[in-house]
Amino acid sequence: MLLEKPQMKAKALAEFFEVSERTIYRDIDKLTMAGIPIYTNQGRNGGISILPDYVLDKSVLTIDEKKKIMESLNALNEVSVSKNSESISKLRSFFGGQYQDWIEIDFSSWESTLEDKVLFEKIKNAILEHSYIEIIYSGSKESFVKRRIKPIKLCFKNQSWYLYAYCCLREDYRFFKLKRMSQINVSNEHFEPENVEKVLSKVSREYCEQLKSVLVTLEISQEMAFRAYEELRNIQVTDNGKLLCHVEVTDINWFISYVLSYGSYIRILEPVEIKEKVMQEIKKMNNLYGGNDGV
């Protein structure tokens, strides 16, 4: 508490820890003997203080606490685009002991480019510096709309990065998918920082409550088993070796594209209306690529 506040009264400390002021002074004596520079100022405006430039000595932390700190920092460093291994190494040396490098995470795709990292770094800095961003965004219903936004938080959900921001055009908070953003310019104009709670869990609940799902039954060939087991759930193997699974679908248009990506290795068994939509899409593709022209 003394590290966080420049000065505190013994009475306030006693009330917080639910002990007597005498106990507080005894504890201060013990901390002083341990080498922590705590001192008291007498008088009306006096109180208990710690030397302003003091850094918490490593001996104050237990072995288990140091281990948990290093584990957490390693994990945090792994999910950062601009990794800072030097700082982690310095802290590891300060704590002493051996700490296992227990986690390795890379959110980028295999074909990730330098431009992706530059974009991520640019948005991160805009968030930390509270700078407006101007972007061109391609939404689901409208393409290439210019937006001026207040970037608040980077979020990772369903294998994609999103920017949670306040949209000046819509006058509301929105999620912007990084892959759909282009012509990103960070403004010299700044806004007042905002403290937001966890946004993904709240939005997920609201999103699920509004959605209406359709149960679709799929039959998938063994050749695509590797992909089916990776992307789908509740898979059953039939007597003929086919994979049978039931999927709750909320976005029909996206699901049709997903089914077509399996090519001839997938078949919709039911419902009929979804099967017909896929057949209509196949006919459009057939016409696009020549149809009866023999191309």
Side-chain angles (χ1 to χ4, degrees):
M1 292 183 71
L2 294 176
L3 284 169
E4 294 175 356
K5 298 181 180 180
Q7 182 171 274
M8 294 194 70
K9 298 286 187 182
K11 182 180 180 181
L13 288 168
E15 290 176 352
F16 180 84
F17 290 107
E18 298 180 351
V19 296
S20 66
E21 291 185 41
R22 181 177 296 180
T23 299
I24 292 295
Y25 283 116
R26 282 202 301 265
D27 290 342
I28 289 173
D29 289 339
K30 293 176 182 177
L31 291 171
T32 303
M33 291 175 64
I36 299 175
I38 296 177
Y39 57 94
T40 58
N41 293 318
Q42 303 298 324
R44 181 177 180 182
N45 296 322
I48 303 168
S49 303
I50 194 167
L51 195 66
D53 295 331
Y54 175 71
V55 177
L56 189 64
D57 188 83
K58 62 181 180 180
S59 62
V60 177
L61 298 171
T62 66
I63 294 176
D64 187 55
E65 287 171 335
K66 288 187 283 187
K67 182 180 177 182
K68 288 179 178 178
I69 289 173
M70 287 305 306
E71 288 174 352
S72 300
L73 288 175
N74 275 324
L76 187 61
N77 192 50
E78 277 297 319
V79 299
S80 174
V81 172
S82 53
K83 294 180 172 28
N84 193 346
S85 300
E86 185 178 350
S87 297
I88 298 293
S89 179
K90 287 180 179 179
L91 194 58
R92 184 183 293 116
S93 176
F94 175 73
F95 281 165
Q98 297 294 321
Y99 297 95
Q100 185 174 348
D101 187 4
W102 69 283
I103 187 171
E104 184 171 340
I105 301 172
D106 187 353
F107 285 115
S108 63
S109 59
W110 292 109
E111 68 275 9
S112 180
T113 62
L114 178 61
E115 287 78 8
D116 294 333
K117 295 181 179 180
V118 172
L119 168 63
F120 192 95
E121 194 71 17
K122 182 186 289 188
I123 294 175
K124 183 193 78 172
N125 291 334
I127 293 172
L128 297 177
E129 295 170 7
H130 318 300
S131 302
Y132 281 93
I133 295 180
E134 294 179 352
I135 64 172
I136 301 296
Y137 192 71
S138 177
S140 57
K141 296 181 181 180
E142 50 191 358
S143 298
F144 309 114
V145 178
K146 188 174 182 179
R147 304 286 187 100
R148 179 178 170 85
I149 60 178
K150 296 179 184 177
I152 298 174
K153 182 183 287 189
L154 278 163
C155 305
F156 189 81
K157 178 77 173 178
N158 196 26
Q159 303 179 20
S160 297
W161 280 104
Y162 295 85
L163 174 62
Y164 181 72
Y166 180 82
C167 178
C168 298
L169 177 65
R170 303 303 182 201
E171 297 184 343
D172 199 3
Y173 293 90
R174 293 284 192 273
F175 279 97
F176 297 92
K177 196 170 186 177
L178 264 62
K179 291 288 187 181
R180 297 181 181 178
M181 296 167 57
S182 62
Q183 300 183 29
I184 301 157
N185 296 309
V186 180
S187 172
N188 293 325
E189 187 178 352
H190 302 276
F191 57 89
E192 288 296 320
E194 299 182 40
N195 291 321
V196 296
E197 298 178 353
K198 299 295 183 182
V199 293
L200 284 177
S201 57
K202 179 183 177 182
V203 172
S204 295
R205 288 196 303 270
E206 294 175 352
Y207 180 74
C208 291
E209 290 172 358
Q210 296 172 2
L211 290 177
K212 293 182 179 179
S213 62
V214 177
L215 182 63
V216 180
T217 303
L218 299 173
E219 184 184 71
I220 303 173
S221 300
Q222 278 285 347
E223 289 88 341
M224 281 292 175
F226 70 96
R227 182 178 170 187
Y229 279 108
E230 188 175 319
E231 299 172 350
L232 303 171
R233 298 290 181 271
N234 302 321
I235 297 175
Q236 300 174 349
V237 181
T238 62
D239 294 337
N240 60 4
K242 300 282 187 178
L243 305 181
L244 189 70
C245 61
H246 306 283
V247 183
E248 290 280 349
V249 178
T250 54
D251 188 336
I252 302 299
N253 292 329
W254 172 87
F255 182 71
I256 291 172
S257 300
Y258 176 78
V259 169
L260 292 173
S261 70
Y262 274 80
S264 60
Y265 296 102
I266 194 170
R267 187 160 66 101
I268 296 177
L269 300 182
E270 55 184 28
V272 176
E273 55 267 27
I274 303 296
K275 181 191 291 188
E276 290 176 348
K277 287 181 181 293
V278 172
M279 291 172 63
Q280 290 171 7
E281 195 64 28
I282 293 173
K283 289 179 181 178
K284 291 179 184 177
M285 293 173 64
N286 185 52
N287 293 331
L288 180 65
Y289 286 98
N292 296 324
D293 295 338
V295 179

